[in-house]
PDB file of all heavy atoms in Angstrom:
ATOM      1  N   VAL A1275       0.877  -1.199   0.054  1.00 98.00           N
ATOM      2  CA  VAL A1275       0.023  -0.028  -0.036  1.00 98.00           C
ATOM      3  C   VAL A1275       0.838   1.254  -0.042  1.00 98.00           C
ATOM      4  O   VAL A1275       2.032   1.256   0.546  1.00 98.00           O
ATOM      5  CB  VAL A1275      -0.922   0.050   1.181  1.00 98.00           C
ATOM      6  CG1 VAL A1275      -1.918  -1.157   1.119  1.00 98.00           C
ATOM      7  CG2 VAL A1275      -0.137   0.041   2.513  1.00 98.00           C
ATOM      8  N   ASP A1276       0.290   2.199  -0.639  1.00 98.00           N
ATOM      9  CA  ASP A1276       0.946   3.606  -0.600  1.00 98.00           C
ATOM     10  C   ASP A1276      -0.003   4.466   0.188  1.00 98.00           C
ATOM     11  O   ASP A1276      -1.290   4.708  -0.314  1.00 98.00           O
ATOM     12  CB  ASP A1276       1.103   4.194  -2.006  1.00 98.00           C
ATOM     13  CG  ASP A1276       1.482   5.652  -2.001  1.00 98.00           C
ATOM     14  OD1 ASP A1276       1.782   6.184  -0.951  1.00 98.00           O
ATOM     15  OD2 ASP A1276       1.355   6.210  -3.143  1.00 98.00           O
ATOM     16  N   PRO A1277       0.341   4.932   1.380  1.00 97.00           N
ATOM     17  CA  PRO A1277      -0.615   5.637   2.226  1.00 97.00           C
ATOM     18  C   PRO A1277      -1.017   7.072   1.626  1.00 97.00           C
ATOM     19  O   PRO A1277      -2.028   7.564   2.027  1.00 97.00           O
ATOM     20  CB  PRO A1277       0.042   5.743   3.545  1.00 97.00           C
ATOM     21  CG  PRO A1277       1.604   5.602   3.264  1.00 97.00           C
ATOM     22  CD  PRO A1277       1.563   4.677   2.093  1.00 97.00           C
ATOM     23  N   ARG A1278      -0.157   7.544   0.750  1.00 97.00           N
ATOM     24  CA  ARG A1278      -0.365   8.796   0.088  1.00 97.00           C
ATOM     25  C   ARG A1278      -0.208   9.923   1.135  1.00 97.00           C
ATOM     26  O   ARG A1278       0.593  10.717   1.009  1.00 97.00           O
ATOM     27  CB  ARG A1278      -1.653   8.904  -0.612  1.00 97.00           C
ATOM     28  CG  ARG A1278      -1.891   7.863  -1.705  1.00 97.00           C
ATOM     29  CD  ARG A1278      -3.310   7.950  -2.328  1.00 97.00           C
ATOM     30  NE  ARG A1278      -3.530   9.138  -2.989  1.00 97.00           N
ATOM     31  CZ  ARG A1278      -4.263  10.195  -2.542  1.00 97.00           C
ATOM     32  NH1 ARG A1278      -5.003  10.020  -1.470  1.00 97.00           N
ATOM     33  NH2 ARG A1278      -4.540  11.281  -3.280  1.00 97.00           N
ATOM     34  N   TRP A1279      -1.055  10.015   2.083  1.00 98.00           N
ATOM     35  CA  TRP A1279      -0.935  10.978   3.257  1.00 98.00           C
ATOM     36  C   TRP A1279      -0.380  10.190   4.361  1.00 98.00           C
ATOM     37  O   TRP A1279      -1.050   9.323   5.008  1.00 98.00           O
ATOM     38  CB  TRP A1279      -2.202  11.610   3.590  1.00 98.00           C
ATOM     39  CG  TRP A1279      -2.599  12.566   2.422  1.00 98.00           C
ATOM     40  CD1 TRP A1279      -3.368  12.301   1.228  1.00 98.00           C
ATOM     41  CD2 TRP A1279      -2.357  13.994   2.386  1.00 98.00           C
ATOM     42  NE1 TRP A1279      -3.473  13.433   0.471  1.00 98.00           N
ATOM     43  CE2 TRP A1279      -2.846  14.502   1.123  1.00 98.00           C
ATOM     44  CE3 TRP A1279      -1.617  14.798   3.205  1.00 98.00           C
ATOM     45  CZ2 TRP A1279      -2.657  15.765   0.758  1.00 98.00           C
ATOM     46  CZ3 TRP A1279      -1.619  16.224   2.885  1.00 98.00           C
ATOM     47  CH2 TRP A1279      -2.070  16.682   1.660  1.00 98.00           C
ATOM     48  N   VAL A1280       0.812  10.458   4.777  1.00 97.00           N
ATOM     49  CA  VAL A1280       1.527   9.664   5.889  1.00 97.00           C
ATOM     50  C   VAL A1280       1.347  10.245   7.263  1.00 97.00           C
ATOM     51  O   VAL A1280       1.498   9.489   8.257  1.00 97.00           O
ATOM     52  CB  VAL A1280       3.058   9.538   5.573  1.00 97.00           C
ATOM     53  CG1 VAL A1280       3.252   8.802   4.274  1.00 97.00           C
ATOM     54  CG2 VAL A1280       3.757  10.878   5.487  1.00 97.00           C
ATOM     55  N   ARG A1281       1.024  11.546   7.316  1.00 95.00           N
ATOM     56  CA  ARG A1281       0.623  12.108   8.640  1.00 95.00           C
ATOM     57  C   ARG A1281      -0.667  12.922   8.468  1.00 95.00           C
ATOM     58  O   ARG A1281      -0.656  13.788   7.629  1.00 95.00           O
ATOM     59  CB  ARG A1281       1.753  12.937   9.191  1.00 95.00           C
ATOM     60  CG  ARG A1281       3.057  12.261   9.542  1.00 95.00           C
ATOM     61  CD  ARG A1281       2.893  11.293  10.717  1.00 95.00           C
ATOM     62  NE  ARG A1281       4.084  10.714  11.027  1.00 95.00           N
ATOM     63  CZ  ARG A1281       4.945  11.100  12.098  1.00 95.00           C
ATOM     64  NH1 ARG A1281       4.646  12.254  12.719  1.00 95.00           N
ATOM     65  NH2 ARG A1281       5.979  10.398  12.338  1.00 95.00           N
ATOM     66  N   PRO A1282      -1.629  12.747   9.316  1.00 96.00           N
ATOM     67  CA  PRO A1282      -1.745  11.699  10.300  1.00 96.00           C
ATOM     68  C   PRO A1282      -1.936  10.349   9.574  1.00 96.00           C
ATOM     69  O   PRO A1282      -2.272  10.229   8.388  1.00 96.00           O
ATOM     70  CB  PRO A1282      -2.919  12.079  11.158  1.00 96.00           C
ATOM     71  CG  PRO A1282      -3.800  12.920  10.162  1.00 96.00           C
ATOM     72  CD  PRO A1282      -2.872  13.652   9.416  1.00 96.00           C
ATOM     73  N   VAL A1283      -1.627   9.244  10.295  1.00 97.00           N
ATOM     74  CA  VAL A1283      -1.742   7.929   9.752  1.00 97.00           C
ATOM     75  C   VAL A1283      -3.184   7.602   9.374  1.00 97.00           C
ATOM     76  O   VAL A1283      -4.064   7.719  10.208  1.00 97.00           O
ATOM     77  CB  VAL A1283      -1.217   6.822  10.737  1.00 97.00           C
ATOM     78  CG1 VAL A1283      -1.541   5.399  10.270  1.00 97.00           C
ATOM     79  CG2 VAL A1283       0.226   7.082  11.055  1.00 97.00           C
ATOM     80  N   PRO A1284      -3.421   7.282   8.163  1.00 97.00           N
ATOM     81  CA  PRO A1284      -4.923   7.011   7.742  1.00 97.00           C
ATOM     82  C   PRO A1284      -5.465   5.847   8.521  1.00 97.00           C
ATOM     83  O   PRO A1284      -4.912   4.789   8.712  1.00 97.00           O
ATOM     84  CB  PRO A1284      -4.705   6.577   6.280  1.00 97.00           C
ATOM     85  CG  PRO A1284      -3.486   7.178   5.815  1.00 97.00           C
ATOM     86  CD  PRO A1284      -2.579   7.145   7.013  1.00 97.00           C
ATOM     87  N   ALA A1285      -6.737   6.018   8.983  1.00 96.00           N
ATOM     88  CA  ALA A1285      -7.452   5.014   9.703  1.00 96.00           C
ATOM     89  C   ALA A1285      -7.523   3.741   8.908  1.00 96.00           C
ATOM     90  O   ALA A1285      -7.519   2.535   9.453  1.00 96.00           O
ATOM     91  CB  ALA A1285      -8.824   5.519   9.996  1.00 96.00           C
ATOM     92  N   GLU A1286      -7.625   3.845   7.547  1.00 97.00           N
ATOM     93  CA  GLU A1286      -7.781   2.659   6.706  1.00 97.00           C
ATOM     94  C   GLU A1286      -6.451   1.773   6.759  1.00 97.00           C
ATOM     95  O   GLU A1286      -6.609   0.572   6.627  1.00 97.00           O
ATOM     96  CB  GLU A1286      -8.005   3.082   5.225  1.00 97.00           C
ATOM     97  CG  GLU A1286      -9.283   3.855   5.010  1.00 97.00           C
ATOM     98  CD  GLU A1286      -9.270   5.328   5.369  1.00 97.00           C
ATOM     99  OE1 GLU A1286      -8.077   5.806   5.609  1.00 97.00           O
ATOM    100  OE2 GLU A1286     -10.263   6.102   5.336  1.00 97.00           O
ATOM    101  N   LEU A1287      -5.363   2.413   6.996  1.00 97.00           N
ATOM    102  CA  LEU A1287      -4.132   1.687   7.210  1.00 97.00           C
ATOM    103  C   LEU A1287      -4.113   0.770   8.352  1.00 97.00           C
ATOM    104  O   LEU A1287      -3.758  -0.411   8.316  1.00 97.00           O
ATOM    105  CB  LEU A1287      -2.926   2.631   7.257  1.00 97.00           C
ATOM    106  CG  LEU A1287      -1.556   2.150   6.880  1.00 97.00           C
ATOM    107  CD1 LEU A1287      -1.534   1.544   5.403  1.00 97.00           C
ATOM    108  CD2 LEU A1287      -0.575   3.192   7.063  1.00 97.00           C
ATOM    109  N   VAL A1288      -4.744   1.204   9.405  1.00 97.00           N
ATOM    110  CA  VAL A1288      -4.837   0.484  10.620  1.00 97.00           C
ATOM    111  C   VAL A1288      -5.838  -0.735  10.410  1.00 97.00           C
ATOM    112  O   VAL A1288      -5.591  -1.881  10.748  1.00 97.00           O
ATOM    113  CB  VAL A1288      -5.413   1.326  11.886  1.00 97.00           C
ATOM    114  CG1 VAL A1288      -5.622   0.439  13.103  1.00 97.00           C
ATOM    115  CG2 VAL A1288      -4.369   2.398  12.142  1.00 97.00           C
ATOM    116  N   THR A1289      -6.912  -0.451   9.664  1.00 96.00           N
ATOM    117  CA  THR A1289      -7.903  -1.530   9.385  1.00 96.00           C
ATOM    118  C   THR A1289      -7.220  -2.587   8.550  1.00 96.00           C
ATOM    119  O   THR A1289      -7.436  -3.781   8.786  1.00 96.00           O
ATOM    120  CB  THR A1289      -9.133  -0.992   8.596  1.00 96.00           C
ATOM    121  OG1 THR A1289      -9.671   0.095   9.486  1.00 96.00           O
ATOM    122  CG2 THR A1289     -10.081  -1.960   8.316  1.00 96.00           C
ATOM    123  N   LEU A1290      -6.493  -2.252   7.520  1.00 97.00           N
ATOM    124  CA  LEU A1290      -5.678  -3.146   6.687  1.00 97.00           C
ATOM    125  C   LEU A1290      -4.732  -4.047   7.516  1.00 97.00           C
ATOM    126  O   LEU A1290      -4.634  -5.226   7.257  1.00 97.00           O
ATOM    127  CB  LEU A1290      -4.977  -2.518   5.517  1.00 97.00           C
ATOM    128  CG  LEU A1290      -5.906  -1.958   4.449  1.00 97.00           C
ATOM    129  CD1 LEU A1290      -5.132  -0.900   3.594  1.00 97.00           C
ATOM    130  CD2 LEU A1290      -6.503  -2.999   3.559  1.00 97.00           C
ATOM    131  N   ALA A1291      -3.989  -3.356   8.466  1.00 97.00           N
ATOM    132  CA  ALA A1291      -3.078  -4.060   9.309  1.00 97.00           C
ATOM    133  C   ALA A1291      -3.731  -5.178  10.047  1.00 97.00           C
ATOM    134  O   ALA A1291      -3.107  -6.197  10.343  1.00 97.00           O
ATOM    135  CB  ALA A1291      -2.393  -3.086  10.175  1.00 97.00           C
ATOM    136  N   ARG A1292      -4.986  -5.031  10.508  1.00 95.00           N
ATOM    137  CA  ARG A1292      -5.623  -6.025  11.339  1.00 95.00           C
ATOM    138  C   ARG A1292      -5.713  -7.408  10.610  1.00 95.00           C
ATOM    139  O   ARG A1292      -5.669  -8.501  11.205  1.00 95.00           O
ATOM    140  CB  ARG A1292      -7.099  -5.632  11.731  1.00 95.00           C
ATOM    141  CG  ARG A1292      -7.207  -4.464  12.641  1.00 95.00           C
ATOM    142  CD  ARG A1292      -8.707  -4.158  12.874  1.00 95.00           C
ATOM    143  NE  ARG A1292      -8.888  -3.005  13.697  1.00 95.00           N
ATOM    144  CZ  ARG A1292      -8.750  -2.921  14.983  1.00 95.00           C
ATOM    145  NH1 ARG A1292      -8.570  -4.022  15.720  1.00 95.00           N
ATOM    146  NH2 ARG A1292      -9.006  -1.736  15.569  1.00 95.00           N
ATOM    147  N   ASP A1293      -5.757  -7.411   9.286  1.00 94.00           N
ATOM    148  CA  ASP A1293      -5.941  -8.600   8.529  1.00 94.00           C
ATOM    149  C   ASP A1293      -4.617  -9.236   8.204  1.00 94.00           C
ATOM    150  O   ASP A1293      -4.609 -10.258   7.384  1.00 94.00           O
ATOM    151  CB  ASP A1293      -6.725  -8.338   7.349  1.00 94.00           C
ATOM    152  CG  ASP A1293      -8.123  -7.844   7.643  1.00 94.00           C
ATOM    153  OD1 ASP A1293      -8.737  -8.170   8.670  1.00 94.00           O
ATOM    154  OD2 ASP A1293      -8.652  -6.971   6.836  1.00 94.00           O
ATOM    155  N   HIS A1294      -3.434  -8.746   8.592  1.00 96.00           N
ATOM    156  CA  HIS A1294      -2.197  -9.338   8.207  1.00 96.00           C
ATOM    157  C   HIS A1294      -1.409  -9.869   9.399  1.00 96.00           C
ATOM    158  O   HIS A1294      -1.632  -9.376  10.545  1.00 96.00           O
ATOM    159  CB  HIS A1294      -1.368  -8.279   7.439  1.00 96.00           C
ATOM    160  CG  HIS A1294      -1.933  -7.899   6.151  1.00 96.00           C
ATOM    161  ND1 HIS A1294      -3.027  -7.073   5.902  1.00 96.00           N
ATOM    162  CD2 HIS A1294      -1.542  -8.319   4.812  1.00 96.00           C
ATOM    163  CE1 HIS A1294      -3.373  -6.995   4.663  1.00 96.00           C
ATOM    164  NE2 HIS A1294      -2.431  -7.745   3.902  1.00 96.00           N
ATOM    165  N   ARG A1295      -0.418 -10.701   9.100  1.00 96.00           N
ATOM    166  CA  ARG A1295       0.318 -11.306  10.198  1.00 96.00           C
ATOM    167  C   ARG A1295       1.601 -10.427  10.586  1.00 96.00           C
ATOM    168  O   ARG A1295       2.114 -10.561  11.635  1.00 96.00           O
ATOM    169  CB  ARG A1295       0.895 -12.676   9.749  1.00 96.00           C
ATOM    170  CG  ARG A1295      -0.317 -13.636   9.427  1.00 96.00           C
ATOM    171  CD  ARG A1295       0.212 -14.804   8.665  1.00 96.00           C
ATOM    172  NE  ARG A1295       1.233 -15.594   9.564  1.00 96.00           N
ATOM    173  CZ  ARG A1295       2.346 -16.096   9.021  1.00 96.00           C
ATOM    174  NH1 ARG A1295       2.617 -16.041   7.717  1.00 96.00           N
ATOM    175  NH2 ARG A1295       3.165 -16.725   9.871  1.00 96.00           N
ATOM    176  N   LEU A1296       1.933  -9.565   9.637  1.00 97.00           N
ATOM    177  CA  LEU A1296       3.153  -8.711   9.810  1.00 97.00           C
ATOM    178  C   LEU A1296       2.893  -7.352   9.068  1.00 97.00           C
ATOM    179  O   LEU A1296       2.379  -7.381   7.909  1.00 97.00           O
ATOM    180  CB  LEU A1296       4.432  -9.368   9.388  1.00 97.00           C
ATOM    181  CG  LEU A1296       5.732  -8.613   9.367  1.00 97.00           C
ATOM    182  CD1 LEU A1296       6.092  -8.355  10.856  1.00 97.00           C
ATOM    183  CD2 LEU A1296       6.763  -9.456   8.538  1.00 97.00           C
ATOM    184  N   VAL A1297       3.329  -6.205   9.696  1.00 98.00           N
ATOM    185  CA  VAL A1297       3.363  -5.006   9.022  1.00 98.00           C
ATOM    186  C   VAL A1297       4.810  -4.580   8.913  1.00 98.00           C
ATOM    187  O   VAL A1297       5.613  -4.536   9.912  1.00 98.00           O
ATOM    188  CB  VAL A1297       2.500  -3.855   9.760  1.00 98.00           C
ATOM    189  CG1 VAL A1297       2.650  -2.531   9.098  1.00 98.00           C
ATOM    190  CG2 VAL A1297       1.093  -4.265   9.853  1.00 98.00           C
ATOM    191  N   VAL A1298       5.167  -4.110   7.692  1.00 98.00           N
ATOM    192  CA  VAL A1298       6.557  -3.594   7.461  1.00 98.00           C
ATOM    193  C   VAL A1298       6.338  -2.213   6.716  1.00 98.00           C
ATOM    194  O   VAL A1298       5.664  -2.063   5.697  1.00 98.00           O
ATOM    195  CB  VAL A1298       7.348  -4.521   6.541  1.00 98.00           C
ATOM    196  CG1 VAL A1298       8.682  -3.902   6.188  1.00 98.00           C
ATOM    197  CG2 VAL A1298       7.531  -5.806   7.135  1.00 98.00           C
ATOM    198  N   THR A1299       7.032  -1.233   7.210  1.00 98.00           N
ATOM    199  CA  THR A1299       7.061   0.098   6.654  1.00 98.00           C
ATOM    200  C   THR A1299       8.454   0.320   5.991  1.00 98.00           C
ATOM    201  O   THR A1299       9.463  -0.063   6.565  1.00 98.00           O
ATOM    202  CB  THR A1299       6.779   1.294   7.670  1.00 98.00           C
ATOM    203  OG1 THR A1299       7.808   1.263   8.623  1.00 98.00           O
ATOM    204  CG2 THR A1299       5.418   1.007   8.314  1.00 98.00           C
ATOM    205  N   VAL A1300       8.522   0.954   4.921  1.00 98.00           N
ATOM    206  CA  VAL A1300       9.804   1.279   4.267  1.00 98.00           C
ATOM    207  C   VAL A1300       9.769   2.793   3.702  1.00 98.00           C
ATOM    208  O   VAL A1300       8.781   3.148   3.094  1.00 98.00           O
ATOM    209  CB  VAL A1300      10.100   0.402   3.128  1.00 98.00           C
ATOM    210  CG1 VAL A1300       9.048   0.297   2.004  1.00 98.00           C
ATOM    211  CG2 VAL A1300      11.454   0.666   2.457  1.00 98.00           C
ATOM    212  N   GLU A1301      10.632   3.628   4.135  1.00 96.00           N
ATOM    213  CA  GLU A1301      10.613   5.059   3.939  1.00 96.00           C
ATOM    214  C   GLU A1301      12.057   5.546   3.611  1.00 96.00           C
ATOM    215  O   GLU A1301      12.955   4.913   4.073  1.00 96.00           O
ATOM    216  CB  GLU A1301      10.016   5.770   5.128  1.00 96.00           C
ATOM    217  CG  GLU A1301      10.705   5.563   6.415  1.00 96.00           C
ATOM    218  CD  GLU A1301       9.925   6.147   7.640  1.00 96.00           C
ATOM    219  OE1 GLU A1301       9.819   7.316   7.686  1.00 96.00           O
ATOM    220  OE2 GLU A1301       9.641   5.350   8.537  1.00 96.00           O
ATOM    221  N   ASP A1302      12.096   6.682   3.035  1.00 94.00           N
ATOM    222  CA  ASP A1302      13.447   7.355   2.746  1.00 94.00           C
ATOM    223  C   ASP A1302      13.645   8.497   3.727  1.00 94.00           C
ATOM    224  O   ASP A1302      14.393   9.527   3.396  1.00 94.00           O
ATOM    225  CB  ASP A1302      13.454   7.735   1.290  1.00 94.00           C
ATOM    226  CG  ASP A1302      12.378   8.794   0.884  1.00 94.00           C
ATOM    227  OD1 ASP A1302      11.472   9.053   1.677  1.00 94.00           O
ATOM    228  OD2 ASP A1302      12.520   9.389  -0.203  1.00 94.00           O
ATOM    229  N   GLY A1303      13.147   8.424   4.918  1.00 94.00           N
ATOM    230  CA  GLY A1303      13.446   9.243   5.968  1.00 94.00           C
ATOM    231  C   GLY A1303      14.095   8.524   7.125  1.00 94.00           C
ATOM    232  O   GLY A1303      14.128   7.318   7.113  1.00 94.00           O
ATOM    233  N   VAL A1304      14.519   9.295   8.129  1.00 95.00           N
ATOM    234  CA  VAL A1304      15.100   8.635   9.334  1.00 95.00           C
ATOM    235  C   VAL A1304      14.050   7.823  10.066  1.00 95.00           C
ATOM    236  O   VAL A1304      12.880   8.157  10.094  1.00 95.00           O
ATOM    237  CB  VAL A1304      15.753   9.582  10.233  1.00 95.00           C
ATOM    238  CG1 VAL A1304      16.994  10.313   9.681  1.00 95.00           C
ATOM    239  CG2 VAL A1304      14.836  10.634  10.714  1.00 95.00           C
ATOM    240  N   ARG A1305      14.493   6.620  10.646  1.00 94.00           N
ATOM    241  CA  ARG A1305      13.504   5.773  11.260  1.00 94.00           C
ATOM    242  C   ARG A1305      13.023   6.439  12.597  1.00 94.00           C
ATOM    243  O   ARG A1305      11.769   6.293  12.826  1.00 94.00           O
ATOM    244  CB  ARG A1305      14.145   4.457  11.611  1.00 94.00           C
ATOM    245  CG  ARG A1305      14.536   3.628  10.390  1.00 94.00           C
ATOM    246  CD  ARG A1305      15.352   2.430  10.886  1.00 94.00           C
ATOM    247  NE  ARG A1305      14.611   1.531  11.799  1.00 94.00           N
ATOM    248  CZ  ARG A1305      15.147   0.759  12.684  1.00 94.00           C
ATOM    249  NH1 ARG A1305      16.527   0.677  12.618  1.00 94.00           N
ATOM    250  NH2 ARG A1305      14.506   0.048  13.483  1.00 94.00           N
ATOM    251  N   THR A1306      13.786   7.024  13.280  1.00 93.00           N
ATOM    252  CA  THR A1306      13.380   7.625  14.559  1.00 93.00           C
ATOM    253  C   THR A1306      12.284   8.743  14.353  1.00 93.00           C
ATOM    254  O   THR A1306      12.629   9.742  13.768  1.00 93.00           O
ATOM    255  CB  THR A1306      14.613   8.235  15.305  1.00 93.00           C
ATOM    256  OG1 THR A1306      15.604   7.213  15.464  1.00 93.00           O
ATOM    257  CG2 THR A1306      14.213   8.717  16.723  1.00 93.00           C
ATOM    258  N   GLY A1307      11.213   8.534  14.861  1.00 94.00           N
ATOM    259  CA  GLY A1307      10.152   9.556  14.649  1.00 94.00           C
ATOM    260  C   GLY A1307       9.510   9.529  13.285  1.00 94.00           C
ATOM    261  O   GLY A1307       8.673  10.376  13.036  1.00 94.00           O
ATOM    262  N   GLY A1308       9.799   8.558  12.437  1.00 95.00           N
ATOM    263  CA  GLY A1308       9.326   8.552  11.123  1.00 95.00           C
ATOM    264  C   GLY A1308       7.986   7.831  10.928  1.00 95.00           C
ATOM    265  O   GLY A1308       7.274   7.782  11.854  1.00 95.00           O
ATOM    266  N   VAL A1309       7.667   7.541   9.669  1.00 96.00           N
ATOM    267  CA  VAL A1309       6.410   6.883   9.340  1.00 96.00           C
ATOM    268  C   VAL A1309       6.247   5.588  10.074  1.00 96.00           C
ATOM    269  O   VAL A1309       5.145   5.333  10.611  1.00 96.00           O
ATOM    270  CB  VAL A1309       6.298   6.680   7.868  1.00 96.00           C
ATOM    271  CG1 VAL A1309       5.014   5.967   7.486  1.00 96.00           C
ATOM    272  CG2 VAL A1309       6.322   8.049   7.117  1.00 96.00           C
ATOM    273  N   GLY A1310       7.294   4.768  10.242  1.00 96.00           N
ATOM    274  CA  GLY A1310       7.215   3.541  10.972  1.00 96.00           C
ATOM    275  C   GLY A1310       6.821   3.744  12.407  1.00 96.00           C
ATOM    276  O   GLY A1310       5.893   2.975  12.840  1.00 96.00           O
ATOM    277  N   ASP A1311       7.371   4.734  13.020  1.00 96.00           N
ATOM    278  CA  ASP A1311       7.005   5.069  14.472  1.00 96.00           C
ATOM    279  C   ASP A1311       5.533   5.436  14.544  1.00 96.00           C
ATOM    280  O   ASP A1311       4.840   5.046  15.451  1.00 96.00           O
ATOM    281  CB  ASP A1311       7.908   6.145  14.907  1.00 96.00           C
ATOM    282  CG  ASP A1311       9.128   5.716  15.618  1.00 96.00           C
ATOM    283  OD1 ASP A1311       9.308   4.375  15.833  1.00 96.00           O
ATOM    284  OD2 ASP A1311      10.076   6.494  15.893  1.00 96.00           O
ATOM    285  N   ALA A1312       5.166   6.322  13.507  1.00 97.00           N
ATOM    286  CA  ALA A1312       3.773   6.719  13.493  1.00 97.00           C
ATOM    287  C   ALA A1312       2.778   5.701  13.282  1.00 97.00           C
ATOM    288  O   ALA A1312       1.739   5.526  13.996  1.00 97.00           O
ATOM    289  CB  ALA A1312       3.596   7.823  12.478  1.00 97.00           C
ATOM    290  N   VAL A1313       3.082   4.713  12.469  1.00 97.00           N
ATOM    291  CA  VAL A1313       2.159   3.599  12.226  1.00 97.00           C
ATOM    292  C   VAL A1313       2.126   2.709  13.436  1.00 97.00           C
ATOM    293  O   VAL A1313       1.109   2.174  13.878  1.00 97.00           O
ATOM    294  CB  VAL A1313       2.631   2.814  11.000  1.00 97.00           C
ATOM    295  CG1 VAL A1313       1.773   1.530  10.810  1.00 97.00           C
ATOM    296  CG2 VAL A1313       2.438   3.574   9.711  1.00 97.00           C
ATOM    297  N   ALA A1314       3.269   2.452  14.083  1.00 97.00           N
ATOM    298  CA  ALA A1314       3.339   1.600  15.313  1.00 97.00           C
ATOM    299  C   ALA A1314       2.501   2.228  16.359  1.00 97.00           C
ATOM    300  O   ALA A1314       1.725   1.594  16.978  1.00 97.00           O
ATOM    301  CB  ALA A1314       4.780   1.431  15.712  1.00 97.00           C
ATOM    302  N   LYS A1315       2.588   3.481  16.526  1.00 97.00           N
ATOM    303  CA  LYS A1315       1.735   4.124  17.493  1.00 97.00           C
ATOM    304  C   LYS A1315       0.274   4.040  17.189  1.00 97.00           C
ATOM    305  O   LYS A1315      -0.595   3.844  18.056  1.00 97.00           O
ATOM    306  CB  LYS A1315       2.099   5.667  17.646  1.00 97.00           C
ATOM    307  CG  LYS A1315       1.319   6.465  18.703  1.00 97.00           C
ATOM    308  CD  LYS A1315       1.783   7.852  18.826  1.00 97.00           C
ATOM    309  CE  LYS A1315       0.955   8.640  19.865  1.00 97.00           C
ATOM    310  NZ  LYS A1315      -0.425   8.724  19.647  1.00 97.00           N
TER     311      LYS A1315
END
């Protein structure tokens, strides 16, 4: 998926995550405080 709008984290992204065994984010910004952190929260 491409969230398109990464902040705030789209509610639909959370819904999609419920149906999967693992979530992986990949971004071209620093990990600390990045999109991965936001999705985890």
Side-chain angles (χ1 to χ4, degrees):
V1275 295
D1276 168 12
R1278 300 177 63 255
W1279 289 85
V1280 297
R1281 294 293 182 96
V1283 175
E1286 296 83 7
L1287 200 59
V1288 176
T1289 300
L1290 288 165
R1292 290 182 188 274
D1293 298 329
H1294 291 77
R1295 302 168 58 218
L1296 175 69
V1297 175
V1298 176
T1299 63
V1300 58
E1301 59 190 295
D1302 59 349
V1304 293
R1305 293 173 58 201
T1306 305
V1309 175
D1311 270 352
V1313 174
K1315 179 179 182 300

